[in-house]
Amino acid sequence: MGPAAGRPRPRVRVRLSGALLAVALVATWTAAEHASAGPQVALAVPVAALHLLAMGVWLGGLVTLLLLLRRRGADGQEVPAAAIGRFSALAFGAVAVLVGTGAYQSWRQVGSWEALSTTSYGKVLLVKIAAVVLVLWAASFSRRWTARLVHEAPPAARTPAVPAAAERVRVPQTVGAPAPAAGQDLDTASGAPAGEGPGDGTKPPAFDSGAYRRALRRMVTAEAVLGVVVLVITTVLTGTQPGRAAGERVSAASAAQPQVKVVTVPFDMGTANHQGTVQITLTPGRVGENTVEAVVYTADGGLATVPELRLTLTREELGIGPLDARLKDRKGYWAAYDLRLPMPGVWTLDVTVRTTDIDQVTVHDTVRITAAPR
């Protein structure tokens, strides 16, 4: 008794169960890998799932085809050429999906051309791209041999063989036509004895299916091996930090690390022991609150003690300043810890150095203040 009406057959149920299991495994994998982090997660997760499914269809199909090409069935029959052609078309579509989704994932994870050569992820990705190019090269030969096998094979070699009795049909003969010899069949299309060509009685060239299948088997083997190599490299990429994330981490570390702007301003009052330099250090040297430290050196490089040191900053083109840093003597150096600079750009430093009650000089220099990180 057949299956109940409206219920799927057992084979269909098995296929549906397998498909659902494959999708569940793919969803689990993509939720744990790089697709779940970074930009465009809503698009990246289904693209990664599609990439993984296409890989399974292509590589799993290659292994299956390779096994079928290496053995014969119980009845001595080989896998039909038409079935090989159908898989070739399916594999072509799977590889196209792999290339498209892989290109998107590479752009998303690398982030820039520079990251291809400066990050571990980018270098491994270059190796994978080279392996994929080799796979495509091998696949082109596989498709070529498949096309020859499908289009040049006689109809009997393209489809599963049928019993010889089913191929024999009665062919009406014209009155007076010679009867076939004992044990000889007639060609159903022309009425000529089977095996002879129409008209001239010559035999068509024999189709060497074995040679085509051996060549195809070699190329499918190479393609499958390279596919496994790509799969191994992909596994390595999964455990490597993406280039975009590595670049963002470096940028964040650079932004978090205080930057220092150092300006050395010489001064000369025209008399002995009244000349030297003032070294001014601004930390972090960007918009916002800054720390200022200033040290006075003598002409021969030794530390100098002065009764007064004043520093102001001005942006004349914007009408800002002079802003007094309000340096205070810290017994060996001068410092201020609350200088606020409102705008980025080049600021003019006015440094006033007083060495005695009556000897002082004002010197000038510039410093570039950077914008605050976002």
Side-chain angles (χ1 to χ4, degrees):
M1 186 174 181
R7 293 185 181 178
R9 289 188 241 176
R11 184 176 296 180
V12 175
R13 287 200 298 268
V14 170
R15 291 177 179 176
L16 289 176
S17 300
L20 290 176
L21 179 59
V23 172
L25 290 175
V26 166
T28 302
W29 177 271
T30 53
E33 60 110 35
H34 296 321
S36 59
Q40 302 180 1
V41 174
L43 177 61
V45 170
V47 168
L50 191 60
H51 186 83
L52 192 57
L53 286 172
M55 171 66 80
V57 170
W58 168 67
L59 190 55
L62 277 181
V63 174
T64 303
L65 178 61
L66 184 59
L67 294 176
L68 291 175
L69 288 173
R70 286 184 175 275
R71 65 181 178 86
R72 294 173 177 267
D75 56 355
Q77 299 299 325
E78 297 176 323
V79 58
I84 299 176
R86 287 194 297 270
F87 170 73
S88 178
L90 179 63
F92 181 81
V95 170
V97 171
L98 279 171
V99 173
T101 55
Y104 168 76
Q105 292 286 32
S106 299
W107 165 82
R108 181 176 173 273
Q109 298 297 345
V110 174
S112 65
W113 291 107
E114 182 182 2
L116 283 173
S117 58
T118 58
T119 63
S120 299
Y121 188 94
K123 294 175 182 178
V124 177
L125 181 62
L126 288 177
V127 176
K128 179 180 178 179
I129 292 173
V132 169
V133 170
L134 290 177
V135 168
L136 296 177
W137 174 77
S140 67
F141 283 95
S142 297
R143 284 182 59 82
R144 186 179 306 173
W145 283 112
T146 299
R148 291 179 179 178
L149 185 63
V150 172
H151 297 300
E152 297 182 17
R158 299 179 192 175
T159 57
V162 295
E167 293 182 342
R168 300 192 179 190
V169 294
R170 291 185 176 273
V171 179
Q173 298 186 24
T174 307
V175 176
Q184 185 181 39
D185 295 332
L186 292 178
D187 184 271
T188 58
S190 62
E196 295 187 5
D200 58 0
T202 60
K203 292 185 178 182
F207 173 74
D208 191 357
S209 173
Y212 284 142
R213 290 175 183 270
R214 286 191 296 272
L216 178 61
R217 185 168 61 242
R218 287 193 295 268
M219 295 314 304
V220 170
T221 301
E223 191 178 350
V225 170
L226 290 172
V228 172
V229 172
V230 172
L231 189 60
V232 171
I233 299 174
T234 302
T235 304
V236 175
L237 278 177
T238 303
T240 306
Q241 185 180 38
R244 185 187 295 271
E248 291 176 352
R249 186 184 64 178
V250 171
S251 300
S254 300
Q257 182 179 4
Q259 303 296 317
V260 177
K261 299 293 177 63
V262 179
V263 180
T264 301
V265 186
F267 66 90
D268 187 355
M269 300 181 187
T271 58
N273 299 326
H274 294 283
Q275 56 187 359
T277 58
V278 181
Q279 179 178 290
I280 301 171
T281 304
L282 287 89
T283 307
R286 55 179 178 242
V287 172
E289 191 170 281
N290 286 262
T291 295
V292 183
E293 293 181 347
V295 180
V296 181
Y297 294 96
T298 61
D300 57 3
L303 290 175
T305 301
V306 296
E308 184 180 4
L309 184 65
R310 188 167 64 251
L311 170 66
T312 61
L313 294 90
T314 307
R315 284 289 303 271
E316 295 181 359
E317 66 275 17
L318 299 179
I320 303 176
L323 304 179
D324 193 347
R326 296 186 176 89
L327 297 177
K328 294 184 179 180
D329 189 1
R330 302 293 178 178
K331 305 302 181 181
Y333 68 97
W334 298 73
Y337 302 101
D338 56 357
L339 173 63
R340 297 193 65 84
L341 299 175
M343 296 290 293
V346 179
W347 288 73
T348 299
L349 303 178
D350 298 318
V351 184
T352 300
V353 184
R354 184 165 64 85
T355 56
T356 66
D357 291 341
I358 59 174
D359 295 316
Q360 76 174 31
V361 65
T362 300
V363 290
H364 314 280
D365 209 327
T366 60
V367 63
R368 179 174 292 278
I369 301 300
T370 59
R374 297 183 178 180

